[in-house]
Amino acid sequence: NGDAAFEIGEMMRKKVIPAKNASEIEMFYKRAADFGNPAAIKKYAFMKYYSNSNRRKEIEMAIKYFEKGSEIGDPELMYLWSLRKEIGRDTSKDVKEAMKLMELSANCGYPEAKVDYGIHLLNGINVTKNVAAAIRQFKEAANNSNNHEAFLYHAITLLNSSKDCNDGDSPDI
């Protein structure tokens, strides 16, 4: 099953048990991903995306697993898939689907999605402009992440402290 294949792949990667080669480890991750193991889907997608061999074929395989991870609700893969869908990189362009996925990822708490979705909201990029909602996204990202998100939240808050919000509400900060 998927969980067993993933654990074998992990033990081989950590050299707890021997692997013939890297391809054998990759095979176990792929098997686990194909069984729907969320951790394996993410790991295999990144393995393929950052692979140095047969670049085009590897990216096509990675994209398949980015989409699969997005479909099962992995916030990071939803976010990465949304970025690709928004501009049509390695897939068909679908801005409406991209914004839905980015919002879902942000609502699941993925910090990069919160920042990016906040930027979209702040500037009205492919969504209705909503400064108060943007500031909430930045604040949540700042509370749950690193200094970059905190900087964005404070910078946007300062920029808007002397202005009325475009949606008519003051920021809920």
Side-chain angles (χ1 to χ4, degrees):
N1 79 27
D3 295 337
F6 181 74
E7 287 306 315
I8 291 169
E10 286 287 278
M11 289 191 297
M12 287 178 164
R13 185 184 60 79
K14 295 174 183 173
K15 299 183 182 185
V16 174
I17 59 175
K20 294 176 191 168
N21 53 42
S23 295
E24 184 178 28
I25 298 169
E26 185 177 305
M27 177 198 66
F28 279 100
Y29 284 132
K30 182 179 185 321
R31 185 175 295 156
D34 289 342
F35 271 104
N37 179 291
I41 291 169
K42 183 183 292 189
K43 186 160 280 203
Y44 189 68
F46 285 118
M47 286 174 73
K48 296 314 258 177
Y49 189 78
Y50 291 109
S51 171
N52 291 324
S53 63
N54 197 353
R55 192 76 181 123
R56 184 76 234 148
K57 183 179 176 190
E58 300 295 323
I59 286 179
E60 287 172 7
M61 183 66 71
I63 294 305
K64 175 183 168 186
Y65 287 90
F66 282 158
E67 183 176 21
K68 187 173 185 166
S70 177
E71 288 170 357
I72 65 166
D74 180 281
E76 183 178 13
L77 293 177
M78 278 192 289
Y79 171 66
L80 295 171
W81 188 236
S82 76
L83 296 177
R84 293 189 169 308
K85 293 297 278 182
E86 184 178 18
I87 62 171
R89 182 174 182 191
D90 302 315
T91 188
S92 60
K93 184 175 180 175
D94 186 341
V95 173
K96 185 176 178 181
E97 177 70 7
M99 292 301 95
K100 181 179 113 185
L101 289 169
M102 190 178 292
E103 181 180 14
L104 282 170
S105 179
N107 290 341
C108 286
Y110 189 64
E112 286 85 351
K114 286 189 163 302
V115 170
D116 211 358
Y117 189 58
I119 290 169
H120 280 71
L121 288 165
L122 183 68
N123 294 295
I125 303 169
N126 298 324
V127 294
T128 302
K129 185 173 183 171
N130 186 330
V131 175
I135 290 173
R136 280 191 296 276
Q137 290 292 336
F138 294 137
K139 182 179 181 182
E140 289 170 11
N143 288 338
N144 298 312
S145 191
N146 63 37
N147 290 334
H148 174 73
E149 285 81 7
F151 170 78
L152 282 172
Y153 165 67
H154 292 295
I156 299 301
T157 302
L158 287 173
L159 286 172
N160 286 292
S161 64
S162 63
K163 301 179 197 174
D164 290 332
C165 292
N166 291 344
D167 63 0
D169 297 323
S170 17
D172 181 18
I173 51 176

